[in-house]
Amino acid sequence: MGIEWRDSLAIGVEAIDNQHKELLLRFGRLLDACQAGQGVEELKKLQVFLGEYVHTHFNDEERLQRLHRYPGYEAHHAEHLNFIEQINKLESETKEEGISTHHVVETNNMLLKWLLNHI
């Protein structure tokens, strides 16, 4: 069921495209794990990845946007902050409550919306 990279998703900056590919790969792993009844375990791995990914990727992407005076920088930056807030909320909930099927579903929805609307 995984999600596959398509060239239409490329922005033409290899480092950023590779980071996007990795995010798609990780999301695909979560979807596959869900099909196999292993979504909770895979979400634990994904949370660690996302915690690192959002800071590295967003910093890299925003640095390039500022360097090239990307006109949509402010809106793009706001989207990044919103996504980080969602990631932090999910992580906080799962630390308090433990990871449940609800969190797996929420993460799937969040990532799907992100992929459709942002990348």
Side-chain angles (χ1 to χ4, degrees):
M1 177 195 253
I3 295 177
E4 294 184 19
W5 177 260
R6 293 176 309 208
D7 288 338
S8 64
L9 297 171
I11 65 165
V13 177
E14 185 176 5
I16 300 300
D17 287 338
N18 287 339
Q19 291 171 348
H20 287 160
K21 287 176 186 178
E22 184 65 24
L23 179 60
L24 284 172
L25 175 71
R26 300 296 181 116
F27 183 39
R29 285 182 188 163
L30 179 62
L31 293 175
D32 291 342
C34 288
Q35 278 191 319
Q38 301 295 317
V40 170
E41 287 304 313
E42 190 61 36
L43 181 56
K44 290 177 187 177
K45 296 175 193 175
L46 182 63
Q47 282 186 316
V48 172
F49 167 76
L50 286 174
E52 297 168 5
Y53 174 87
V54 294
H55 295 292
T56 301
H57 173 67
F58 292 167
N59 284 336
D60 291 350
E61 193 173 74
E62 290 177 11
R63 179 182 48 78
L64 287 170
Q65 289 175 345
R66 288 188 306 272
L67 179 67
H68 296 282
R69 299 174 194 240
Y70 174 60
Y73 171 77
E74 292 299 327
H76 205 89
H77 176 68
E79 289 178 16
H80 287 172
L81 292 177
N82 185 41
F83 190 72
I84 290 170
E85 186 178 308
Q86 291 176 42
I87 297 285
N88 290 340
K89 180 181 176 212
L90 178 68
E91 186 176 349
S92 178
E93 282 181 17
T94 58
K95 281 183 181 177
E96 277 184 32
E97 304 166 13
I99 294 178
S100 68
T101 303
H102 160 76
H103 297 112
V104 174
V105 171
E106 286 294 314
T107 303
N108 277 326
N109 288 335
M110 177 183 62
L111 286 175
L112 184 58
K113 287 177 186 174
W114 183 255
L115 295 171
L116 291 174
N117 297 320
H118 186 77
I119 293 183

